[in-house]
């Protein structure tokens, strides 16, 4: 079953965040993930939703998400992201 990872990210330091953006795509792909949305324009059409920058990934399963999250090569990038941005991530079971 496909699994989706929805990310809302508020980038506080755009310069260093560029290093994160360059480093993550190969790791996502290594674990079978793919970008579906990467920071495109969005519009709230009902309710309140205070997202800043949205990213949506699709992975084959939760084990693939966990493997990406735990990947030793991702740890430094994860620390960088945490220093330069405020992030909320949600894993969603899909169809």
């Amino acid at each position: 079953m496909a699994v989706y990872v929805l990310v809302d990210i508020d980038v506080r330091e755009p310069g260093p965040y560029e290093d994160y953006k360059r480093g993550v795509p190969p790791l996502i792909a290594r674990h079978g993930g793919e970008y579906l949305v990467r920071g495109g324009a969005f519009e709230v059409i009902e309710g309140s939703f205070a997202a800043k920058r949205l990213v949506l990934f699709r992975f084959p399963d939760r084990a693939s998400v966990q493997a990406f999250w735990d990947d030793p090569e991702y740890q430094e990038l994860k620390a960088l992201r945490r220093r330069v941005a405020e992030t909320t991530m949600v894993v969603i079971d899909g169809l």
Side-chain angles (χ1 to χ4, degrees), residues 4 6 13 15 18 23 25 32 34 37 41 43 45 47 54 57 61-62 64 69 73 80 84 86 88-90 92:
Y4 298 86
L6 177 63
E13 297 180 39
E18 289 301 314
E34 64 179 313
V37 173
E43 175 184 359
I45 60 172
L54 294 174
F57 303 101
D61 50 40
R62 282 184 179 258
S64 299
W69 190 255
E73 290 186 41
L80 168 64
V84 303
E86 186 71 30
T88 301
M89 292 188 187
V90 179
I92 308 162

Side-chain angles (χ1 to χ4, degrees), residues 35-62:
Y35 284 91
L36 300 177
V37 173
R38 190 174 183 189
F42 65 91
E43 175 184 359
V44 177
I45 60 172
E46 186 171 339
S48 61
F49 187 63
K52 299 294 185 184
R53 180 178 194 276
L54 294 174
V55 181
L56 179 64
F57 303 101
R58 178 175 45 219
F59 283 86
D61 50 40
R62 282 184 179 258

Side-chain angles (χ1 to χ4, degrees), residues 71-91:
D71 188 315
E73 290 186 41
Y74 183 53
Q75 302 317 299
E76 185 176 329
L77 289 168
K78 187 189 311 182
L80 168 64
R81 177 183 46 77
R82 288 175 171 167
R83 281 193 309 273
V84 303
E86 186 71 30
T87 307
T88 301
M89 292 188 187
V90 179
V91 178

Side-chain angles (χ1 to χ4, degrees), residues 3-24:
V3 173
Y4 298 86
V5 178
L6 177 63
V7 181
D8 175 26
I9 188 158
D10 183 8
V11 178
R12 296 184 307 252
E13 297 180 39
Y17 185 71
E18 289 301 314
D19 293 335
Y20 179 82
K21 282 175 41 179
R22 279 189 297 277
V24 170

